[in-house]
């Protein structure tokens, strides 16, 4: 039996390696494809030159010796496409990682930041702060936006926790999340009655969910928040795996369950709050991506799922963003529209297949 | 040897300061098996949750291997104590091997990667519970019996000195119950692992345990060797059996005796009566039973179920007084049910059968015929 077992384990290791290799390749392809495609198509060789010989090109542009096509390509990449694709990658990874943590926490495969109403809560706080402060200042500073969205996420998360932890039932959790969303939307709508027109435009635009319009500073800040948090989550993959086997078990192997629960909640809130602050509500990525990863890895081990979810989330959001901005070009869809179109069917399918499993 | 491995001193357990079981005191030596028995909701699980530190005790002291259990570090404790609890967690996409390897948690490094030594311990644990053949199957696809064994293997892989189990035999059929308890017995005997568990099955508890602690109405009224604890009366009081009864020698329970005046006299003996007594109980027909030797196995069931039993001393015939008593009861009955054991009561039952026929009672050998007669 032993060699056979070893063979099966070897096969598993091979599968994991293949999945990560594919994700790596897809990541690179998605970045290149995103930069390359749009109203102006930029050939790959040109992209290479613009990205890695930036200084020389900048110099040429300053001197006025560069040809006009190259200048416009340079501007398109450095001022629009690159930061957008990076933002999509970072925030997409954060979203799906946050979804994975919430699924572990609630032991429920359809838990996610959007489904639990967390995005709506963040939006409510954002509306509150924007409208409240606009009387005193023009243009709310970024850190306040981030802080408001974080506070909103945490608060809604606490609500979801208070109600959701009493039920193991997938559909109940969904209902609770939808109710929380409705309540938050009602409050937001109420607040909008008192808003200035400019604020309404901002909020509505924000509510659509989009990776566009971010500055390089947004990219840097979100990277500074997301990357260390994701690394922290990865370092916690051993306790997360114990937690996934039940609190009683986790406690019996020496994990401080209460403390750990808090850590899990804070980490997933930080990730989803960051996304909400910079890109608005982007639905279903948190459910769909970890699920796809689970299927291709055929494993739910955190040590694999955490990096896989992050990478796959990045690829997924980059591709969805590409679809959003090119399919009906020049009209741009909101990225949330695309992720919902892909993600919602996955959720429906999940619920139906789970129900069937339970009946068996 | 004198020092106990686990010692509970006037321990009070409960939730949120509200005591569920108070003043628990017992000692458990290394390699001993202790079973907690008692009615549902008596607090067996609460005691186990306190010992696994899921909930803090209200007062009292727990000493494990000479050290205060509550002051121990999580990892130190995890290397000494493993548990098989009742949370029914269904992890996704985990093979049985994965589940068992989770028991290596206290030994693995920061990322929980398994070394060759860990893998060997996991394989060994799987072998011990006869689950090596299902190592690569999905944990959610195996049967309840296999799942329980895999969870036990996880506890074994943790290489503990003591294992706590909460109702390990629920959901299992009789074969798997026996297998599981046998594994525990071997663990205790061969490896000196101490075992503390709660059990529903009284008969199994008295067979597998060195010590039994009764948990009832907020206390542990008795703790000791099975034969001291598991008496007819002891179990009756423990479970508050007001209507049914418990029999220590058979380890079985009987439903309450049928109400009303006895209508039938059952001639039993040699174990042939038991089935008939239970049938009569089910049909709700009150009856007399006799004449049974005091060592006859029928007596264990006849006593709780019949209105009255006529007995005679073991290995001797029935005295004339006993026979007269039985005759009087036959006179009062509407019919006689014969189980077909003429030697019953030292040959007296053959005589009684004749008496019944002569005095014109209907004598039947079958319950269906009896119901005809009684109509």
């Amino acid at each position: 039996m032993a060699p056979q077992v070893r063979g099966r384990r070897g096969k598993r290791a091979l599968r994991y390696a293949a999945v990560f290799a594919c994700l790596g390749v897809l990541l690179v392809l998605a970045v290149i494809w995103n930069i390359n495609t749009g109203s102006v198509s930029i050939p790959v060789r040109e992209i290479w030159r613009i990205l890695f010989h930036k200084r020389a090109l900048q110099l040429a542009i300053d001197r006025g010796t560069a040809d006009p096509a190259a200048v416009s390509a340079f501007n398109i990449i450095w001022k629009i496409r690159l930061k957008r694709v990076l933002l999509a990658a970072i925030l997409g990874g954060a979203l799906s990682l946050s979804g994975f943590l919430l699924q572990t926490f609630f032991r429920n495969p359809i838990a996610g930041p959007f489904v639990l109403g967390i995005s709506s809560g963040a939006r409510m706080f954002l509306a509150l702060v924007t409208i409240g402060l606009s009387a005193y200042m023009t243009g709310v500073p970024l850190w306040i936006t981030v802080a408001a969205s974080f506070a909103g996420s945490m608060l809604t998360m606490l609500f979801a926790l208070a109600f959701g932890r009493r039920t193991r039932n997938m559909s109940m959790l969904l209902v609770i999340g939808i109710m929380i969303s409705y309540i938050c939307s009602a409050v937001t709508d109420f607040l909008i009655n008192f808003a200035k027109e400019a604020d309404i435009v901002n909020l509505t635009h924000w509510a659509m969910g989009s990776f566009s319009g971010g500055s390089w500073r947004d990219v840097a800040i979100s990277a500074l928040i997301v990357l260390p948090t994701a690394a922290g989550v990865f370092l916690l993959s051993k306790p997360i795996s114990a937690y996934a086997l039940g609190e009683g078990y986790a406690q019996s192997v020496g994990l401080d369950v209460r403390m750990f629960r808090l850590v899990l909640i804070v980490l997933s809130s930080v990730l989803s709050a960051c996304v909400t602050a910079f890109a608005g509500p982007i639905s279903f990525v948190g459910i769909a991506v970890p699920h796809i990863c689970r299927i291709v890895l055929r494993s739910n081990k955190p040590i694999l799922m955490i990096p896989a979810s992050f990478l796959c989330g990045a690829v997924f959001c980059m591709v969805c963003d590409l679809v959003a901005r090119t399919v009906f070009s020049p009209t741009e869809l909101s990225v949330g529209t695309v992720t919902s179109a892909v993600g919602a069917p996955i959720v429906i399918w999940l619920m139906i297949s789970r129900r069937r499993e339970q009946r068996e | 040897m004198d020092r106990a491995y686990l010692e509970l001193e006037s321990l009070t357990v409960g939730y949120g300061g509200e005591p569920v079981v108070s003043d628990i005191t017992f000692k458990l030596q290394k390699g001993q098996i202790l079973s907690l028995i008692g009615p549902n909701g008596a607090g067996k699980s609460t005691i186990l949750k306190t010992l696994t530190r899921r909930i803090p005790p209200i007062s009292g002291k727990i000493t494990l291997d000479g050290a205060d259990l509550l002051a121990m570090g999580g990892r130190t404790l995890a290397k000494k104590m493993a548990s098989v609890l009742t949370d029914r967690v269904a992890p996704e996409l985990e093979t049985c091997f994965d589940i068992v390897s989770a028991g290596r948690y206290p030994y693995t490094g920061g990322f929980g990667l398994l070394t060759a030594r860990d893998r060997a311990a996991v394989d060994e644990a799987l072998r011990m519970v006869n689950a090596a053949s299902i190592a690569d199957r999905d944990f959610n696809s195996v049967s309840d019996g296999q799942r329980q064994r895999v969870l036990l293997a996880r506890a074994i892989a943790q290489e503990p000195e003591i294992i706590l189990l909460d109702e390990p035999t629920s959901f299992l059929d009789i074969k798997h119950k026996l297998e599981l308890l046998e594994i525990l017995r071997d663990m205790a005997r061969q490896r000196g692992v101490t075992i503390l568990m709660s059990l529903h099955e009284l008969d199994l508890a008295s067979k597998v345990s060195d010590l039994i602690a009764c948990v009832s109405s907020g206390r542990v009224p008795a703790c000791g060797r099975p034969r001291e604890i598991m008496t007819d009366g002891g179990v009756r009081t423990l479970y508050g059996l007001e209507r049914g009864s418990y029999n220590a020698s058979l380890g079985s329970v009987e439903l309450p005796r049928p109400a009303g005046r006895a209508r039938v006299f059952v001639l039993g003996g040699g174990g042939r009566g038991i089935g008939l007594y239970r049938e009569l109980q089910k049909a709700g027909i009150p009856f007399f039973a006799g004449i049974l030797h005091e060592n006859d196995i029928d007596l264990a069931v006849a006593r709780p179920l019949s209105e009255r039993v006529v007995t005679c001393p073991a290995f001797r015939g029935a005295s004339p007084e006993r026979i007269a008593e039985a005759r009087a009861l036959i006179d009062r009955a509407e019919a006689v049910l014969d189980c077909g054991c003429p030697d019953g009561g030292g040959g007296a039952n053959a005589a009684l059968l004749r008496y019944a026929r002569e005095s014109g009672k209907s004598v039947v050998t079958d319950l269906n015929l009896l119901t005809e007669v009684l109509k």
Side-chain angles (χ1 to χ4, degrees):
Chain A
M1 190 201 76
Q4 187 191 350
V5 166
R6 209 164 297 141
R8 239 174 277 165
R9 280 175 202 155
K11 230 185 223 171
R12 275 209 268 173
L14 205 68
R15 165 182 286 275
Y16 302 150
V19 168
F20 280 104
C22 281
L23 281 175
V25 170
L26 284 174
L27 192 75
V28 173
L29 282 179
V31 172
I32 294 174
W33 194 13
N34 252 292
I35 294 177
N36 159 271
T37 316
S39 51
V40 177
S41 168
I42 303 169
V44 177
R45 263 182 56 201
E46 186 71 10
I47 292 173
W48 185 269
R49 204 164 65 90
I50 292 172
L51 285 186
F52 296 100
H53 302 281
K54 187 189 175 192
R55 192 163 296 166
L57 220 72
Q58 182 78 58
L59 223 62
I61 290 168
D62 291 346
R63 281 192 201 126
T65 51
D67 73 297
V71 174
S72 88
F74 182 86
N75 284 335
I76 286 172
I77 289 183
W78 282 106
K79 296 204 172 133
I80 302 171
R81 287 189 193 162
L82 187 62
K83 61 186 182 189
R84 181 170 180 159
V85 75
L86 286 180
L87 205 60
I90 293 165
L91 298 182
L95 259 184
S96 55
L97 195 52
S98 160
F100 172 73
L101 291 178
L102 290 172
Q103 285 144 28
T104 310
F105 185 81
F106 285 99
R107 301 181 200 302
N108 191 327
I110 60 160
F114 187 78
V115 163
L116 291 175
I118 291 170
S119 308
S120 309
R123 179 171 168 238
M124 179 179 79
F125 261 63
L126 208 66
L128 197 69
V129 170
T130 318
I131 295 165
L133 288 182
S134 66
Y136 307 100
M137 54 178 91
T138 45
V140 179
L142 181 74
W143 70 268
I144 290 185
T145 318
V146 176
S149 132
F150 182 69
S153 299
M154 284 299 273
L155 201 77
T156 347
M157 176 75 104
L158 288 179
F159 268 106
L161 272 179
F163 301 117
R165 278 192 62 78
R166 301 212 188 124
T167 175
R168 278 276 167 81
N169 190 320
M170 281 207 302
S171 14
M172 265 316 283
L173 191 66
L174 198 66
V175 171
I176 290 167
I178 291 170
M179 288 305 136
I180 291 177
S181 286
Y182 273 127
I183 295 169
C184 295
S185 303
V187 174
T188 313
D189 289 346
F190 171 77
L191 288 170
I192 283 179
N193 286 320
F194 303 96
K196 292 180 199 153
E197 249 167 62
D199 293 337
I200 297 177
V201 171
N202 273 341
L203 276 172
T204 316
H205 174 74
W206 183 88
M208 307 261 285
S210 167
F211 295 119
S212 69
S215 65
W216 274 109
R217 198 171 57 139
D218 291 0
V219 176
I221 292 173
S222 53
L224 276 175
I225 297 173
V226 169
L227 297 179
T229 313
V233 171
F234 183 66
L235 290 176
L236 286 176
S237 49
K238 182 180 166 183
I240 291 174
S241 73
Y243 186 85
L245 292 180
E247 291 190 358
Y249 163 76
Q251 201 271 336
S252 80
V253 289
L255 190 72
D256 183 346
V257 172
R258 277 185 178 196
M259 187 64 207
F260 185 71
R261 240 190 261 154
L262 191 71
V263 170
L264 217 58
I265 282 303
V266 170
L267 288 177
S268 61
S269 297
V270 167
L271 291 172
S272 61
C274 181
V275 178
T276 318
F278 287 110
I282 294 172
S283 40
F284 296 110
V285 176
I287 303 172
V289 171
H291 190 66
I292 293 168
C293 292
R294 238 169 253 136
I295 290 174
V296 295
L297 285 169
R298 286 197 201 142
S299 168
N300 197 25
K301 285 196 186 71
I303 198 164
L304 299 165
M305 278 296 287
I306 291 168
S309 294
F310 194 91
L311 289 176
C312 187
V315 173
F316 185 84
C317 280
M318 284 191 282
V319 173
C320 283
D321 192 39
L322 185 71
V323 171
R325 71 188 170 89
T326 53
V327 169
F328 291 101
S329 164
T331 306
E332 191 171 305
L333 302 174
S334 85
V335 68
T337 312
V338 182
T339 56
S340 301
V342 181
I346 292 184
V347 174
I348 294 171
W349 176 73
L350 251 176
M351 292 192 66
I352 292 172
S353 67
R354 287 312 158 100
R355 170 118 351 133
R356 201 179 303 133
E357 230 166 71
Q358 275 167 12
R359 224 180 283 143
E360 281 165 4
Chain B
M1 187 61 219
D2 204 18
R3 198 182 78 178
Y5 183 72
L6 177 71
E7 188 171 356
L8 276 58
E9 279 173 83
S10 47
L11 180 72
T12 297
V13 300
Y15 298 94
E18 201 68 37
V20 175
V21 189
S22 311
D23 205 23
I24 313 158
T25 298
F26 61 72
K27 282 183 189 180
L28 195 54
Q29 307 290 339
K30 205 166 173 44
Q32 275 188 327
I33 299 180
L34 181 138
S35 299
L36 297 169
I37 62 167
N40 286 336
K44 295 175 302 236
S45 300
T46 316
I47 295 176
L48 288 169
K49 276 184 194 159
T50 309
L51 291 175
T52 52
R53 303 209 301 200
R54 281 206 79 177
I55 53 172
I58 293 176
S59 65
K61 207 176 152 201
I62 310 166
T63 314
L64 182 77
D65 201 13
D68 182 2
L69 178 97
L70 297 172
M72 254 180 220
R75 191 175 257 229
T76 321
L77 182 63
K79 286 181 181 176
K80 281 182 183 292
M81 180 190 276
S83 50
V84 179
L85 301 170
T86 42
D87 343 338
R88 305 273 287 158
V89 178
E92 278 181 279
L93 298 165
E94 301 260 19
T95 64
C96 295
F97 183 92
D98 293 336
I99 296 289
V100 177
S101 63
R104 300 302 297 167
Y105 189 93
Y107 302 93
T108 53
F111 283 101
L113 299 174
L114 300 176
T115 61
R117 156 102 181 75
D118 292 322
R119 285 180 184 282
V122 172
D123 285 334
E124 163 73 7
L126 278 163
R127 226 179 352 261
M128 278 193 67
V129 300
N130 306 320
S133 58
I134 56 165
D136 284 307
R137 297 240 331 254
D138 188 310
F139 182 66
N140 286 331
S141 75
V142 302
S143 72
D144 282 339
Q146 289 168 330
R147 203 169 302 174
Q148 197 68 4
R149 291 210 305 257
V150 168
L151 290 177
L152 177 61
R154 181 173 78 186
I156 294 172
Q158 212 173 316
E159 297 180 345
E161 293 165 0
I162 181 166
I163 300 182
L164 305 185
L165 304 98
D166 195 4
E167 309 277 359
T169 52
S170 21
F171 307 110
L172 300 189
D173 60 29
I174 188 72
K175 172 178 173 247
H176 291 112
K177 275 182 187 165
L178 291 176
E179 264 182 30
L180 191 90
L181 293 174
E182 210 181 306
I183 296 165
L184 292 178
R185 192 78 259 195
D186 289 347
M187 291 282 297
R189 285 272 157 75
Q190 293 161 15
R191 308 194 165 199
V193 175
T194 312
I195 285 160
L196 198 160
M197 61 182 158
S198 62
L199 270 187
H200 258 320
E201 296 83 357
L202 299 175
D203 50 333
L204 295 177
S206 60
K207 279 160 203 160
V208 76
S209 332
D210 298 302
L211 291 170
I212 285 183
C214 305
V215 185
S216 162
S217 42
R219 311 188 56 79
V220 178
C223 177
R225 306 209 157 266
R227 65 187 139 81
E228 298 156 11
I229 303 287
M230 305 294 279
T231 56
D232 298 7
V235 172
R236 253 187 101 107
T237 3
L238 174 64
Y239 282 87
L241 288 180
E242 277 153 20
R243 297 177 49 81
S245 65
Y246 174 79
N247 183 280
S249 33
L250 293 184
S252 68
V253 279
E254 299 298 339
L255 289 164
R257 130 186 343 155
R261 279 184 48 220
R263 302 176 69 188
V264 185
F265 190 98
V266 185
L267 288 166
R272 296 197 198 183
I274 292 181
L276 290 177
Y277 303 144
R278 287 184 179 154
E279 287 293 333
L280 286 167
Q281 193 280 337
K282 262 185 273 179
I285 304 169
F287 62 94
F288 298 121
I291 293 178
L292 299 173
H293 279 127
E294 267 152 17
N295 64 346
D296 196 310
I297 190 166
D298 277 357
L299 193 58
V301 179
R303 255 219 179 105
L305 292 188
S306 69
E307 190 177 324
R308 196 155 137 202
V309 201
V310 184
T311 61
C312 66
F315 312 113
R316 269 186 282 161
S319 66
E321 293 89 57
R322 295 289 128 220
I323 294 175
E325 188 191 345
R327 282 185 177 185
L329 292 179
I330 289 176
D331 290 342
R332 279 165 59 187
E334 293 165 44
V336 171
L337 184 58
D338 178 28
C339 77
C341 175
D343 300 335
N349 282 0
L352 285 173
L353 193 61
R354 234 176 296 127
Y355 170 78
R357 285 211 177 97
E358 279 158 16
S359 53
K361 292 280 165 192
S362 0
V363 176
V364 290
T365 52
D366 178 69
L367 201 73
N368 292 332
L369 290 173
L370 180 74
T371 32
E372 293 284 305
V373 169
L374 289 184
K375 266 177 201 160

